[in-house]
Amino acid sequence: MVKPMKISDILNTGRVTVSCELFPPKHGSGMADAQNVVRETASLRPSFISITYGAGGGTSNHTASLAVEAQKHGIPALAHLTCVSSDRQTIRGVLSKLAADKIENILALRGDIPNGQSFPTDAQYHHACDLMKEIQSSGDFCVGGACYPEGHPESESLEKDIESLKIKADCGCRFLTTQMFFDNNILYNFLYRLLHHKIDVPVIAGIMPVTDRRQIARICKISGTVLPQRFRAIVDKFSGNSAAMNQAGIAYATEQIIDLIANDVRNIHIYTMNKPDIAGRIMNNLSEIFK
Ligand code: FAD
């Protein structure tokens, strides 16, 4: 096993980085398949693998186990952790387990408020920055956070949302991973705004290859993202033919990444939806560019 590296060190090498996101199964019975997905993703040699955290925390052990699995294959792991539905004791328990498992990187998130519910009145953590502070005081972790180039859906303005990112950075957040976006100009505008606010932590651009029409409704619902006309045309034309949609989705994501790297956005994160074959095809398309 290689010595796990902190994500902040990985992002500071000046080279292009490509990371992959996976999600854990809802039930323990899915762990064997999930471990295979981790193994196949690790064989692509991404810069790191991130593992999401089930809302409500019910699958927290799965997140940690899959993070350990990634590191067994020599790939640094980033474990996601959400806080809004958890109390301090639970969070401290998860942090102790991550430390014991030698997981050094945590993406600290508030988590979504469950559908139809209001913000819990007895919440012990109100924002991701509260969790970041807790993590900082709990061990030698490298902490990252989420950001939203089109603004978080609950924010009254992008400006207000960016002010909250400044708070994250001041709470020890060492890098930010973006929500998915399909128009690179949105990211470029966002990066200018971060500069204006003197937020200088590295930003990892989140790219979602859309290879199935059914993904679209969910994407728009969770991220509120704007789908460019060029992208809509592809979905309209090819979604009836799964092989063609696959190819077009991979080509679109590949083009987005080439444009990002050409414009010096060096850190790319692929939302793989647990499809290592798709991540692999994108990485293969970019093999010379990623060297
Ligand atoms: P916060 O940073 O707390 O922001 C939430 C809202 O509060 C925003 O409107 C923000 O502007 C505002 N705000 C933030 N801080 C302050 C402050 N100090 N004062 C006032 N207002 C503030 N969800 C999961 O359940 N599991 C996952 O694994 C997961 N992974 C994700 C990975 C990425 C890269 C992204 C982009 C999202 C992920 N999510 C995940 C979804 C995330 O939990 C939701 O988007 C959630 O609604 C917000 O989380 P946050 O950490 O951005 O919250």
Side-chain angles (χ1 to χ4, degrees), residues 24-125:
K26 287 207 169 67
H27 307 287
S29 56
M31 276 305 272
D33 285 345
Q35 279 167 343
N36 279 336
V37 169
V38 172
R39 189 174 40 74
E40 284 176 41
T41 307
S43 73
L44 305 172
R45 312 311 296 166
S47 309
F48 63 89
I49 290 179
S50 81
I51 315 284
T52 66
Y53 191 82
T59 58
S60 72
N61 282 339
H62 300 343
T63 299
S65 303
L66 294 180
V68 168
E69 185 71 22
Q71 294 198 162
K72 254 195 228 160
H73 295 286
I75 305 296
L78 168 63
H80 294 204
L81 178 59
T82 68
C83 60
V84 71
S85 312
S86 288
D87 56 28
R88 283 192 194 280
Q89 201 186 351
T90 308
I91 291 291
R92 286 176 186 164
V94 175
L95 294 175
S96 302
K97 172 149 180 44
L98 291 173
D101 285 342
K102 302 206 171 359
I103 306 300
E104 299 182 58
N105 304 294
I106 303 178
L107 194 74
L109 301 142
R110 186 199 69 183
D112 281 322
I113 315 295
N115 261 348
Q117 293 182 24
S118 50
F119 199 91
T121 47
D122 57 348
Q124 297 187 3
Y125 303 93

Side-chain angles (χ1 to χ4, degrees), residues 52-53 55 80 82 107-112 127-129 146-148 152 154-155 161 164 167-168 177-179 271:
T52 66
Y53 191 82
H80 294 204
T82 68
L107 194 74
L109 301 142
R110 186 199 69 183
D112 281 322
H127 292 295
C129 57
C147 65
Y148 305 82
H152 182 268
E154 289 167 32
S155 273
D161 202 31
S164 76
I167 300 173
K168 283 189 193 186
T177 306
T178 76
Q179 182 59 281
Y271 290 105

